[in-house]
């Protein structure tokens, strides 16, 4: 049969009709429709590509064949089954490729000691689930952990790493920060943390791991035991311990929790914990108290004020309950016995009678005739008057005297009322001369008291003046001389003009009238404000007749603040210029015994203040001031009584005469104080330990001079 060539377009039309009618089911046109590919051809072409590459995506195979991916996709399941391929997503993999991938990965596992399936997934660009299934049999031959579900390890690798970690933990003697230490290991960090977590469950681990992962810290048992033993030793030695101290020695457990766990009988306070022995000692001291005491002196100085108050209040309740009556009274910073308070009231009887007589003398019109029945005087003490009396007669601190005055005000006034009534009934027509003698006696008492204050102030000026000659810096000497005139000189002249006025006054009323002061101001002139002192001085000097000239010279020196020479005649009892006031005072030149007495009095005052002052950022300036004055007297055997503003200058003067370590300590404290004052805050970073050391130096220096 003869053959005929068909036109191309007719041939294509026949092929399309055949494909459309299902007569040519295994023919696939190319994208350009310039050729038709049979199913067997497509399969052979895919097989060649996969044999060469090991893997290919449907899109890649379709592109190679120049056909649409949708045309190839229905044939893939049959190709996969017949050729033992695996379709993963849209990618066909040969069995050889899968075996090579697995073999390569296992080789890497043997080399590195571990593999991460996510890393394999990323490198192979295959679904992670397929990679997991491909390597699932590793779970039976290699090490794996629930905490690291995507990783497999060689058992030898994990065993060696575990031994390395164990040896390192067994060797350390101080806390080890895991995040820093792990960086020194050539190991998989996640595995290290897993192994560490497992080791913490072992009873033979020679330490404890605090925290998790990067924040974890390993604490060896030897270090822990040493630190805890030190804490126990400090607690046993002092019967208390501050939480800051516990935190400093063992920072990995809350101080309260640690102390309560180790010592269940401790009393936990705000800033510290105390033992029952300390509380018992406090109660014993309170039981023996028959006068008064500052609560701080009953407990270690390091215990914070709120905790002192808590302990004392609790101890007072137990002591008073045991005594079945309130034998002790709390006044905040002080405690006093009720018998002591009663003794103050009893001892005040002469004073009460004297005050009653004064009240009667001031009520002459009431007593000018025989009184009517029921008529009387409503005389009462103010709390301030009682306070002044207590401070003078019993030498109580001002804070305590004020509180005691409020406590005993009622019984004092009851006794005053009884005294007024008793005197009124027994002597209704008492001789006025007796009352005048009583007020004259008060004036004499105040004159004696003023002379005592004046003499003490004179002594302070004498030895401050002598101390000036010991200073090397001329500018400091000049500044300190001004201070003596403008500050110490004001008190000296104030006491002097009051004393002179008392010489002129016939009775209490006249003295008060001449000075314009209250009775309490005359009795406590050291409590009068500086502004009022200067006003009184100016007024009394102006009205003075007998001693106006010498007083006027002192007033001029005080006002200008530069003429210390005017005071020197009084300090050294110089009568060469015929000063009648100096002659009337009867002073003599200072002697060696005066110097000894001044030194003893100053050092006694400094020690008392240092002992009663708690070391803190707020009290640092005062403690440094007191210590500096004590050191100056120790070095030069000369008392110095100046304000805190001269502390830097005095320390500079002493620096060449003190131990270098002590100078460094004092200088560091001074620098911290100056920084605190510059910031105008009491919460600046002043090391309390530094202040405690300065305070201890001051106390020891005072003791050495006694």
């Amino acid at each position: 049969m003869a053959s005929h060539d068909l036109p191309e377009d007719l041939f294509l039309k026949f092929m399309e009709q055949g494909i459309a009618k299902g007569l040519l089911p295994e023919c696939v046109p190319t994208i350009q429709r310039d050729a038709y590919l049979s199913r067997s051809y497509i399969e052979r072409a895919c097989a060649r590509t996969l044999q060469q590459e090991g893997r290919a995506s449907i899109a890649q195979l379709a592109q190679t064949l120049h056909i649409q991916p949708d045309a190839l996709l229905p044939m893939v399941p049959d190709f996969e089954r017949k050729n033992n391929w695996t379709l993963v997503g849209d990618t066909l993999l040969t069995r050889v490729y899968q075996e090579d991938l697995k073999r390569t990965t296992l080789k890497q596992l043997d080399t590195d000691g571990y593999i991460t399936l996510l890393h394999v997934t990323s490198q192979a660009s295959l679904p992670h689930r397929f990679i997991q299934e491909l390597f699932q049999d590793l779970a039976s031959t290699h090490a794996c952990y629930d905490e690291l579900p995507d990783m497999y390890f060689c058992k030898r690798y994990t065993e060696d790493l575990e031994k390395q970690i164990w040896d390192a933990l067994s060797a350390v003697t101080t806390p080890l920060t895991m995040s820093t230490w792990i960086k020194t290991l050539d190991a998989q960090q996640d595995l290290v943390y897993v192994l560490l977590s497992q080791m913490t469950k072992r009873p033979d681990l020679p330490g404890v791991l605090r925290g998790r992962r990067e924040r974890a810290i390993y604490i060896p048992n030897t270090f822990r035991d040493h630190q805890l033993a030190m804490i126990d030793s400090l607690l046993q030695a002092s019967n208390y311990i501050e939480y800051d101290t516990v935190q400093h020695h063992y920072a990995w457990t809350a101080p309260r929790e640690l102390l309560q766990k180790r010592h269940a009988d401790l009393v936990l306070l705000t800033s510290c914990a105390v033992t029952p022995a300390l509380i018992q000692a406090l109660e014993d001291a309170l039981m023996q108290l028959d006068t008064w005491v500052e609560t701080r002196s009953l407990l270690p100085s390091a215990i914070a004020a709120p905790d002192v108050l808590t302990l004392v209040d609790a101890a007072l309740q137990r002591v008073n309950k045991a005594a079945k009556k309130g034998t002790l009274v709390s006044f905040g910073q002080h405690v006093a016995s009720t018998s002591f308070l009663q003794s103050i009231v009893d001892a005040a009887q002469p004073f009460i009678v004297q005050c009653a007589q004064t009240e009667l003398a001031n009520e002459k019109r009431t007593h000018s005739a025989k009184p009517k029945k029921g008529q009387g005087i409503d005389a009462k003490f103010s709390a301030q008057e009682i306070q002044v009396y207590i401070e003078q007669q019993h030498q109580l601190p001002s804070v305590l005297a004020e509180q005691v005055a409020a406590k005993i005000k009622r019984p004092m006034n009851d006794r005053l009322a009884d005294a007024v009534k008793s005197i009124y009934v027994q002597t209704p027509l008492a001789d006025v001369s007796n009352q005048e003698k009583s007020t004259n006696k008060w004036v004499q008492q105040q004159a004696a008291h003023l002379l005592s204050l004046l003499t003490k102030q004179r002594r302070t000026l004498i030895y401050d003046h002598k101390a000036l000659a010991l200073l090397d810096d001329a500018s400091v000497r000049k500044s300190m001389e001004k201070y003596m005139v403008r500050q110490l000189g004001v008190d000296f002249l104030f006491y002097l003009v009051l004393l002179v006025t008392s010489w002129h006054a016939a009775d209490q009323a006249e003295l008060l009238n001449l000075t314009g002061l209250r009775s309490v101001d005359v009795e406590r002139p050291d409590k009068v404000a500086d502004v009022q002192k200067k006003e009184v001085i100016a007024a009394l000097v102006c009205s003075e007749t007998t001693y106006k000239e010498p007083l006027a010279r002192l007033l001029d020196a005080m006002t200008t603040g530069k003429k210390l020479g005017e005071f020197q005649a009084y300090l050294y009892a110089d009568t060469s210029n015929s000063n009648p006031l100096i002659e009337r005072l009867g002073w003599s030149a200072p002697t060696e015994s005066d110097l000894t007495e001044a030194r003893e009095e100053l050092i006694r005052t400094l020690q008392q203040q240092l002992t009663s002052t708690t070391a803190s950022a707020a009290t640092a300036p005062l403690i440094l001031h007191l210590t500096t004055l004590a050191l100056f007297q120790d070095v030069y055997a000369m008392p110095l009584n100046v304000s805190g503003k001269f502390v830097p200058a005095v320390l500079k003067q002493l620096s060449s005469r003190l131990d270098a370590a002590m100078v460094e300590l004092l200088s560091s404290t001074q620098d911290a104080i100056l920084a605190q004052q510059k910031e105008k805050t009491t919460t600046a970073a002043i090391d309390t330990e530094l202040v405690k050391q300065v305070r201890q130096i001051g106390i020891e220096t005072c003791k050495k001079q006694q």
Side-chain angles (χ1 to χ4, degrees):
M1 183 176 184
S3 62
H4 300 281
D5 292 332
L6 294 174
E8 182 178 349
D9 57 345
L10 182 59
F11 176 78
L12 293 175
K13 188 177 292 185
F14 284 160
M15 291 296 293
E16 290 174 0
Q17 289 177 355
I19 292 171
K21 294 179 179 181
L23 300 175
L24 299 172
E26 297 191 1
C27 287
V28 178
T30 61
I31 295 174
Q32 300 296 330
R33 293 191 175 275
D34 56 354
Y36 290 87
L37 307 179
S38 68
R39 182 186 185 91
S40 58
Y41 175 82
I42 293 173
E43 183 178 355
R44 289 194 301 274
C46 290
R48 284 195 303 271
T49 300
L50 287 171
Q51 187 176 5
Q52 294 173 1
E53 303 295 336
R55 58 178 288 177
S57 66
I58 302 299
Q60 290 173 332
L61 294 172
Q63 185 179 8
T64 302
L65 294 167
H66 300 288
I67 62 177
Q68 293 290 349
D70 292 342
L72 176 60
L73 196 57
M75 305 178 190
V76 169
D78 184 51
F79 294 167
E80 179 185 6
R81 184 180 62 258
K82 289 171 58 178
N83 295 279
N84 199 19
W85 297 338
T86 302
L87 179 63
V88 181
D90 67 339
T91 302
L92 282 170
L93 307 176
T94 65
R95 182 62 59 189
V96 174
Y97 175 83
Q98 295 177 57
E99 292 173 354
D100 286 345
L101 175 60
K102 194 169 184 179
R103 184 168 54 253
T104 302
T105 303
L106 291 176
K107 184 177 180 181
Q108 180 185 354
L109 173 58
D110 290 337
T111 302
D112 297 341
Y114 67 93
I115 61 167
T116 303
L117 295 186
L118 278 175
H119 181 64
V120 177
T121 299
S122 176
Q123 284 187 327
S125 298
L126 292 171
H128 186 58
R129 185 177 182 83
F130 171 75
I131 296 297
Q132 287 179 319
E133 293 175 353
L134 183 64
F135 291 96
Q136 63 183 354
D137 57 334
L138 290 179
S140 60
T141 58
H142 291 73
C144 59
Y145 302 91
D146 294 339
E147 298 89 337
L148 305 172
D150 211 42
M151 299 184 70
Y152 291 95
F153 304 89
C154 291
K155 293 183 178 179
R156 172 183 46 80
Y157 177 82
T158 58
E159 290 170 356
D160 291 346
L161 181 57
E162 186 173 1
K163 183 178 184 303
Q164 184 181 1
I165 295 172
W166 184 268
D167 291 344
L169 297 183
S170 301
V172 296
T173 57
T174 57
L176 188 64
T177 303
M178 292 294 102
S179 59
T180 303
W181 172 68
I182 285 179
K183 292 178 181 178
T184 65
L185 299 177
D186 184 17
Q188 213 288 325
Q189 293 191 8
D190 292 326
L191 177 60
V192 174
Y193 286 121
V194 171
L195 295 177
L196 281 171
S197 178
Q198 292 181 347
M199 288 180 185
T200 58
K201 301 173 183 178
R202 291 179 55 172
D204 57 339
L205 180 67
V208 61
L209 193 67
R210 298 286 185 183
R212 294 175 58 83
R213 293 188 65 84
E214 291 80 3
R215 296 184 179 181
I217 297 178
Y218 176 74
I219 306 168
N221 289 341
T222 54
F223 176 83
R224 179 201 61 195
D225 295 342
H226 177 268
Q227 296 303 104
L228 294 181
M230 186 176 296
I231 291 172
D232 291 343
S233 176
L234 292 172
L235 179 62
Q236 183 178 5
S238 304
N239 283 323
Y240 81 98
I241 191 166
E242 296 173 272
Y243 299 138
D244 289 344
T245 302
V246 178
Q247 186 75 16
H248 175 73
H249 287 89
Y250 197 78
W252 300 280
T253 303
R256 285 172 172 268
E257 179 184 342
L258 176 65
L259 291 171
Q260 196 166 34
K261 184 177 180 180
R262 295 181 65 81
H263 305 279
D265 59 344
L266 286 181
V267 176
L268 304 179
L269 302 171
T270 304
S271 62
C272 67
V274 300
T275 64
L278 181 70
I279 296 175
Q280 186 59 50
L282 172 61
E283 292 180 6
D284 292 343
L286 290 173
M287 286 180 180
Q288 298 173 7
L289 181 64
D290 56 3
T291 55
W292 67 275
V293 69
E294 185 181 5
T295 53
R296 277 212 157 278
S297 65
L298 299 174
L299 294 165
S301 59
I303 298 181
D307 289 339
V308 170
L309 187 60
T310 300
L311 287 172
V312 171
D313 285 347
L316 277 178
Q317 291 181 11
R318 289 190 290 271
V319 169
N320 288 336
K321 185 176 180 180
K324 297 182 180 179
K325 60 179 180 178
T327 59
L328 299 176
V329 180
S330 173
F331 293 102
Q333 299 177 11
H334 303 84
V335 173
S337 67
T338 53
S339 59
F340 174 69
L341 299 180
Q342 184 60 44
S343 70
I344 294 178
V345 177
D346 294 340
Q349 190 61 33
F351 169 71
I352 293 171
V353 172
Q354 180 184 348
C355 291
Q357 292 172 342
T358 302
E359 289 292 335
L360 290 171
N362 292 336
E363 293 288 338
K364 292 181 181 180
R365 64 180 183 276
T366 304
H367 300 159
S368 59
K370 188 176 181 179
K372 298 179 180 179
K373 186 177 181 180
Q375 186 177 1
I377 300 174
D378 185 17
K380 288 185 179 180
F381 287 120
S382 68
Q384 188 175 16
E385 289 173 328
I386 299 175
Q387 177 185 347
V388 170
Y389 166 78
I390 294 173
E391 290 183 24
Q392 288 181 342
Q393 299 300 319
H394 298 276
Q395 288 75 49
L396 296 188
S398 295
V399 174
L400 177 58
E402 181 180 359
Q403 294 172 313
V404 170
K407 183 75 174 177
I408 67 174
K409 180 180 177 182
R410 182 170 181 175
M412 288 283 285
N413 280 325
D414 289 344
R415 292 206 176 190
L416 178 61
D418 292 341
V420 169
K421 182 178 179 181
S422 174
I423 295 171
Y424 192 88
V425 170
Q426 293 175 3
T427 57
L429 298 175
D431 189 359
V432 174
S433 62
N434 291 334
Q435 300 169 9
E436 291 176 349
K437 288 180 181 179
S438 175
T439 58
N440 287 341
K441 184 178 179 182
W442 182 86
V443 173
Q444 293 170 4
Q445 289 175 341
Q446 302 316 311
H449 180 53
L450 287 166
L451 181 59
S452 173
L453 291 174
L454 181 63
T455 303
K456 183 177 180 181
Q457 192 69 5
R458 173 198 177 220
R459 189 168 59 192
T460 299
L461 280 164
I462 288 173
Y463 296 113
D464 274 9
H465 181 249
K466 288 180 177 292
L468 285 179
L470 302 173
L471 302 177
D472 299 330
D473 193 329
S475 62
V476 174
R477 291 198 300 271
K478 185 176 180 181
S479 176
M480 197 174 291
E481 186 173 349
K482 289 181 180 179
Y483 164 79
M484 291 172 61
V485 176
R486 294 176 177 176
Q487 298 296 324
L488 303 180
V490 170
D491 289 339
F492 179 86
L493 186 52
F494 182 61
Y495 301 150
L496 181 58
V497 296
L498 288 183
L499 177 62
V500 170
T501 305
S502 71
W503 293 341
H504 302 323
D507 54 28
Q508 179 179 2
E510 185 177 0
L511 179 58
L512 298 180
N513 183 52
L514 289 172
T515 60
L517 297 172
R518 301 170 301 170
S519 297
V520 67
D521 295 331
V522 177
E523 292 170 347
R524 292 302 304 270
D526 53 322
K527 299 297 183 182
V528 177
D530 287 344
V531 174
Q532 188 177 7
K533 287 179 183 177
K534 294 177 181 178
E535 293 174 351
V536 172
I537 291 171
L540 293 180
V541 170
C542 182
S543 62
E544 175 61 29
T545 55
T546 308
Y547 304 106
K548 184 170 185 176
E549 184 179 348
L551 290 175
R553 290 198 300 269
L554 288 177
L555 175 59
D556 181 61
M558 182 199 76
T559 305
T560 58
K562 299 180 180 179
K563 299 180 181 179
L564 182 59
E566 291 294 339
F567 288 86
Q568 290 185 34
Y570 294 85
L571 303 185
Y572 301 105
D574 183 5
T575 58
S576 59
N577 293 327
S578 300
N579 188 323
L581 185 52
I582 296 178
E583 294 174 1
R584 174 68 185 272
L585 290 168
W587 283 337
S588 58
T591 63
E592 193 65 29
S593 62
D594 292 331
L595 174 60
T596 301
E597 185 179 347
R599 293 179 70 246
E600 289 176 351
E601 182 178 351
L602 177 61
I603 214 65
R604 191 163 51 246
T605 302
L606 292 176
Q607 183 176 2
Q608 182 181 4
Q609 288 184 273
L610 283 167
T611 303
S612 62
T613 302
T614 303
S616 66
T619 60
L622 173 61
I623 289 175
L624 181 62
H625 181 199
L626 299 174
T627 301
T628 302
L629 297 182
L631 288 170
F632 185 91
Q633 178 165 302
D634 184 46
V635 171
Y636 293 105
M638 183 67 65
L640 178 66
N641 199 336
V642 293
S643 68
K645 74 174 185 178
F646 292 104
V647 167
V650 177
L651 285 179
K652 183 178 179 181
Q653 174 75 22
L654 295 172
S655 60
S656 61
R657 296 166 176 83
L658 298 176
D659 178 75
M662 184 183 296
V663 172
E664 177 64 25
L665 174 65
L666 296 172
S667 299
S668 300
T669 307
Q670 176 184 303
D671 293 342
I673 292 171
L674 292 176
Q676 179 192 63
Q677 293 173 344
K678 185 177 181 181
E679 296 176 7
K680 296 182 179 180
T681 175
T682 58
T683 59
I686 294 183
D687 188 354
T688 305
E689 289 299 323
L690 206 64
V691 182
K692 288 181 180 179
Q693 294 178 43
V694 173
R695 177 176 175 269
Q696 190 60 34
I697 289 174
I699 293 174
E700 291 175 357
T701 304
C702 291
K703 290 181 178 179
K704 184 171 68 172
Q705 299 179 61
Q706 290 179 340

